[in-house]
Amino acid sequence: PDGSTEFKEEVLAKVRKLEEMNQVFLCTNKRGGLRWQELEALFRLKVVTKRHKKPSRRVLEEAGSIKEYRIVIGDKCLTDGLFAWRIGALFIRVKRKLSGKESLSVRIVNFLDDAISAFVL
């Protein structure tokens, strides 16, 4: 869930598998706190959204050289999906992980994202 830095070993193993034949970057729009630093250390991946936020194409500037074929894996259509579309990447939407402690504003954003994604995916 957002705000968490705890991941099952299965998730870490899948990220390692992706890294075997791909350049893998971590893109998070979360600001503040140490979450992105913790995730960067845990996954041993470069975080590329320290200055820019998805869906801005400028996120790619932080990644540097990226191979031609791009895939964006994410849980939000409004950020991850739109980012994928803007950079010409395939978008793979994954199920959103919730903690049950989300604020009202986060729940509203998730509801709107789900409603909009029904029309664009």
Side-chain angles (χ1 to χ4, degrees), residues 16-32:
R16 301 282 177 262
K17 185 73 173 168
L18 282 172
E19 287 180 299
E20 288 177 9
M21 298 180 67
N22 304 281
Q23 287 179 286
V24 179
F25 299 95
L26 177 63
C27 300
T28 179
N29 283 353
K30 293 294 179 189
R31 296 284 198 254

Side-chain angles (χ1 to χ4, degrees), residues 5-68:
T5 55
E6 295 180 24
F7 293 88
K8 294 180 180 179
E9 188 57 41
E10 175 185 1
V11 172
L12 296 171
K14 288 184 181 190
V15 170
R16 301 282 177 262
K17 185 73 173 168
L18 282 172
E19 287 180 299
E20 288 177 9
M21 298 180 67
N22 304 281
Q23 287 179 286
V24 179
F25 299 95
L26 177 63
C27 300
T28 179
N29 283 353
K30 293 294 179 189
R31 296 284 198 254
L34 296 175
R35 183 169 192 252
W36 66 262
Q37 292 170 323
E38 292 168 349
L39 294 175
E40 190 173 42
L42 179 66
F43 285 101
R44 295 186 303 249
L45 298 173
K46 180 180 178 185
V47 175
V48 295
T49 51
K50 294 176 185 174
R51 290 182 308 190
H52 304 292
K53 290 184 174 187
K54 299 172 287 181
S56 171
R57 286 188 211 124
R58 298 192 74 185
V59 169
L60 287 181
E61 293 173 9
E62 295 179 52
S65 174
I66 294 182
K67 295 179 181 174
E68 185 134 343

Side-chain angles (χ1 to χ4, degrees), residues 77-78 91 93 110-121:
C77 185
L78 290 172
F91 176 52
R93 187 170 188 216
N110 288 342
F111 175 79
L112 292 172
D113 185 76
D114 291 341
I116 290 169
S117 68
F119 295 100
V120 296
L121 293 180

